[in-house]
Amino acid sequence: MEKRLSSNILKWIAVISMTIDHMGAVLFPQQIWMRYVGRMAFILYAFLITEGYVHTHNLKRYLGRLSLLALISEIPFDMLFHRTFFYWPSQNVFFTLVLGLMGIFLMEKAAGKLPVNWVFLSLIPVALMGIIAQIISCDYRYFGILIITVFYIFRKRPLAAFAGIGLIQAFMNTIQMFGLAAFLPIALYNGKKGRGGKVLQWLFYFYYPLHMAAIYVAGILLGII
């Protein structure tokens, strides 16, 4: 099977899936199929986070961009889903991605310093990130950290990644199983970044808060919010 999809194409698929999901959650709650389509988004973002970690030349800058977007996105996220400027019991998915990225970085560092027989202890940083995710109640919570970690550990064994993430999704709830459809475009990933450059990179980042603000405004105009 020829692999034709670049990471930028995967990002487009994730963006479209996420937009359909959020529109379904807020504007068209009766259209449950939109939520099914939306389950692909996080799986794709989790995969892309591991790819970003493996290929980045500057991890601090990468973490900085994600952290900045997490902070910027919190107000539109809370306004859209909780109708308030700040809602402590729930944080946006960029916090999950930041914690997941930190988890695999610390895991790799720990694994490099531990004897082979004790390498399992390198999972402790991942567990800590999962606890933090649970405490701050970011999207997908510790399940999200586990998904990112499984993608990283099994990045060269796609069938094992599929099985591991499928198991995690099953523990979450039935609807999350639709997210496994994301493995089809992932299977077609060619390992290349694709066209677009820095402009497209920042578009993907800022699309997240901007699309939530747009859906919020649309909800007001339609009298839904």
Side-chain angles (χ1 to χ4, degrees), residues 21 32-33 57 59 66 68 85 94 106 125 133 143 149 188 191 213 218:
D21 181 46
I32 191 65
W33 67 268
H57 299 295
L59 181 61
L66 291 175
L68 175 64
F85 279 103
F94 265 87
L106 294 172
F143 288 115
T149 304
L188 298 175

Side-chain angles (χ1 to χ4, degrees), residues 81-120:
F81 293 107
H82 306 293
R83 312 296 190 264
T84 182
F85 279 103
F86 184 73
Y87 185 73
W88 171 247
S90 179
Q91 318 307 323
N92 72 77
V93 75
F94 265 87
F95 284 102
T96 314
L97 299 179
V98 168
L99 291 172
L101 181 59
M102 290 176 62
I104 58 177
F105 165 69
L106 294 172
M107 178 182 67
E108 184 179 63
K109 289 296 181 183
K113 296 179 180 180
L114 289 167
V116 174
N117 292 340
W118 293 92
V119 73
F120 67 92

Side-chain angles (χ1 to χ4, degrees), residues 147-177:
I147 289 170
I148 292 170
T149 304
V150 168
F151 264 130
Y152 180 71
I153 292 175
F154 298 113
R155 63 191 182 278
K156 295 182 180 179
R157 298 171 62 188
L159 289 179
F162 179 83
I165 290 170
L167 185 61
I168 294 169
Q169 299 284 78
F171 270 103
M172 294 175 72
N173 53 58
T174 303
I175 191 176
Q176 296 297 339
M177 297 299 290

